[in-house]
Amino acid sequence: MSHSYVRLDKGNSAVLLVDHQTGLLSLVRDIDPDKFRNNVLALADLAKYFNLPTILTTSFEEGPNGPLVPELKNLFPGAPYLARPGQINAWDNADFVKAVKATGKKQLIIAGVVTEVCVAFPALSAIEEGFEVFVVTDASGTFNELTRHAAWARMSAAGVQLMTWFGVACELHRDWRNDVQGLGTLFSNHIPDYRNLIHGDAVKKAAA
């Protein structure tokens, strides 16, 4: 089934950070822990940079899943925070769905732990309700590559677009001339090679 190219629009997008909880993070084995943390924070930083409505949610915090990672709570002190009492699919929680719809946005950028459950279930549910869904693959984690690819295949077949945080940032920004320094700083903070590129360019310009 073919799908047309639907581009992210910063005026019509919201970010959903689903179940990035201290306990669940121990299950992520398909990506290096430090890289995963960096990618999650990069997504959070781009959400703030583009001023995108952001919703935080957790599931069964009192159990082994644990609380939301503190960095996200600190980054979004005023964002809607839905601690679901038990629903595995965030979309089964009426308050979560209400918060999503209250943003007024039709494009949902989703990331979470674990990919085939906490990400896939609400992504598929949102697609069914007419939203355009973009899953940030490198800010979502799971047990292994097998389960990851099974989840990606299922979501893709339903029309979910799979992206990385870097791709999301570039598509939202559209044009370097909108803010060279701001976007460059965002990339430099989370991509060491990009930091070197920016530094090298600055040195070259200073010597000219």
Side-chain angles (χ1 to χ4, degrees):
M1 185 181 190
S2 62
H3 298 280
S4 59
Y5 175 30
V6 178
R7 294 202 290 179
L8 281 167
D9 176 358
K10 64 184 179 182
N12 197 30
S13 297
V15 174
L16 313 182
L17 299 177
V18 184
D19 301 354
H20 289 99
Q21 296 168 247
T22 56
L24 291 177
L25 287 182
S26 66
L27 302 177
V28 176
R29 291 290 183 267
D30 62 328
I31 185 170
D32 176 83
D34 290 335
K35 289 181 180 178
F36 183 64
R37 177 183 177 279
N38 174 72
N39 294 341
V40 172
L41 294 180
L43 175 59
D45 283 345
L46 78 83
K48 291 185 71 70
Y49 173 70
F50 290 107
N51 197 29
L52 306 180
T54 301
I55 297 172
L56 311 173
T57 186
T58 58
S59 175
F60 198 44
E61 286 189 8
E62 295 77 13
N65 293 352
L68 183 73
V69 295
E71 295 96 328
L72 295 180
K73 187 175 289 188
N74 293 337
L75 276 169
F76 301 100
Y81 176 73
L82 290 307
R84 310 189 312 278
Q87 298 95 341
I88 294 174
N89 181 353
W91 210 263
D92 288 340
N93 182 278
D95 290 333
F96 176 77
V97 175
K98 182 179 179 181
V100 172
K101 292 182 177 179
T103 68
K105 312 301 182 183
K106 294 299 292 182
Q107 296 185 330
L108 304 180
I109 301 167
I110 305 177
V113 181
V114 291
T115 308
E116 71 272 28
V117 175
C118 307
V119 176
F121 291 178
L124 295 169
S125 299
I127 284 282
E128 281 296 298
E129 293 209 21
F131 288 90
E132 296 168 357
V133 178
F134 303 76
V135 163
V136 187
T137 56
D138 55 355
S140 302
T142 188
F143 306 107
N144 52 51
E145 292 186 3
L146 178 65
T147 51
R148 178 180 70 194
H149 286 290
W152 289 356
R154 186 184 188 194
M155 289 188 286
S156 293
V160 174
Q161 294 198 46
L162 305 179
M163 300 184 69
T164 64
W165 74 262
F166 183 77
V168 168
C170 290
E171 193 158 89
L172 288 169
H173 201 66
R174 294 280 200 276
D175 191 318
W176 271 107
R177 293 167 296 181
N178 290 330
D179 180 13
V180 174
Q181 184 174 358
L183 190 65
T185 298
L186 174 66
F187 291 162
S188 295
N189 287 342
H190 295 283
I191 306 174
D193 290 340
Y194 213 96
R195 188 181 309 122
N196 295 337
L197 183 152
I198 294 291
H199 178 70
D201 182 63
V203 170
K204 181 177 67 176
K205 287 179 178 177

